[in-house]
């Protein structure tokens, strides 16, 4: 599992695009008080002084007090996760405050990428996430680091595991932490494109569908030329014809296997580009701009 963090957090990427892989108030003025006139110099009686002082104080005091400025609240970090609910690939986002409570949460099925809101309760290493339809996640922190301090937290764990239940249906759940950011939902891709998030994601989704179906012509329409292919022997493609001729070199069995599990929703952004499948494909505003074709261990059939 590779965790990617942004903002004030460290960044650790599997594969970056070629351009990144190698690539205060002035003091108030005061005036001297005028000297007292003879009439002012005579001392009135104590009672008169008290009444006069009270009158002047009342004249200076406003009817209502000025409200104090609101104290800004620390921003929540958005933890992006992916994994499975039974046989179904899913993704999730948990917005976590600095005190480790969950401010907001949702999950989605990769099949339709529709966000389902969740209410959250956390107790120690246990988290319960409830959805409006009745489904409930009962999860706990896990880690692959045997030296991680206990109790586990969002920062020190690598996954959430447990079950999802609704009525008589129960499925095992495993969600791996993929990245951390604190970007507002409507600003997910503002560093990449002026298009709304849904429009930009639809472009990435079309690209993946066409690649996996082998549609070379439609895939070429969704590429930001030239296309950089990072492999053992890297190369650059400049035209649709060149892509067609090099299709099997670009979309190797390893690349295709990774793209089948890609989640083109709430994608991680770095250096003005968004990625899917842990950096297998990077997108700029116009389409796919880089593909990382690294060797892999293919699953046995």
């Amino acid at each position: 599992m590779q965790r990617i963090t942004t903002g004030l957090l460290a960044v650790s990427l599997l594969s970056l695009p070629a351009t990144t892989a190698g690539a205060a108030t002035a003091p108030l003025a005061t005036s001297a008080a005028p000297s007292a006139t003879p009439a002012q110099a005579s001392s009135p009686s104590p009672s008169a002084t008290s009444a006069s002082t009270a009158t002047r104080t009342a004249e200076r005091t406003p009817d209502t007090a000025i409200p104090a400025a609101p104290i800004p609240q620390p921003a929540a970090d958005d933890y992006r996760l992916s994994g499975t609910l039974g046989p179904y690939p899913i993704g999730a986002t948990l917005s976590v405050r600095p005190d480790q409570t969950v401010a907001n949460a949702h999950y989605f099925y990769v099949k339709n990428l529709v966000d389902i809101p969740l209410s959250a309760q956390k107790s120690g290493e246990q988290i319960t996430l409830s959805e409006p339809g009745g489904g409930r996640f009962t999860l706990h922190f896990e880690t692959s680091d045997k030296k991680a301090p206990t109790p586990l937290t969002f920062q020190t764990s690598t996954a959430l595991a447990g079950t999802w239940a609704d009525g008589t249906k129960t499925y095992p759940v495993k969600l791996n932490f993929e990245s951390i950011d604190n970007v507002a939902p409507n600003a997910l891709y503002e560093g990449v494109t002026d298009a709304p998030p849904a429009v930009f994601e639809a472009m990435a989704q079309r690209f993946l569908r066409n690649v996996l179906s082998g549609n070379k012509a439609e895939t070429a329409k969704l590429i930001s030329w030239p296309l950089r292919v990072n492999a053992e022997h890297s190369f650059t493609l400049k035209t649709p014809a060149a892509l067609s001729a090099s299709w099997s070199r670009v979309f190797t069995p390893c690349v295709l296997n990774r793209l089948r599990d890609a989640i083109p929703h709430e994608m991680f952004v770095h250096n003005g580009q968004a990625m899917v499948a842990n950096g297998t494909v990077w997108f700029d505003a116009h389409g796919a701009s880089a593909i990382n074709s690294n060797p892999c261990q293919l699953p046995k059939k």
Side-chain angles (χ1 to χ4, degrees), residues 26-120:
L28 296 175
T30 59
S31 58
S35 58
T37 63
Q40 292 171 325
S42 60
S43 300
S45 65
S47 60
T49 300
S50 299
S52 176
T53 300
T55 300
R56 289 197 300 271
T57 301
E59 289 173 349
R60 291 197 303 266
T61 303
D63 294 336
T64 57
I66 300 174
I71 300 174
Q73 297 299 312
D77 287 324
D78 291 327
Y79 287 75
R80 315 288 183 181
L81 306 93
S82 68
T84 55
L85 188 164
Y88 309 107
I90 65 171
T93 293
L94 305 181
S95 296
V96 181
R97 303 183 183 96
D99 64 0
Q100 293 290 288
T101 58
V102 180
N104 294 289
H106 66 261
Y107 83 105
F108 55 86
Y109 291 88
V110 174
K111 182 178 180 179
N112 54 24
L113 302 177
V114 176
D115 291 345
I116 302 171
L118 296 166
S119 59

Side-chain angles (χ1 to χ4, degrees), residues 71 91 161 166 226 268 289:
I71 300 174
D166 186 4
F268 176 74
S289 59

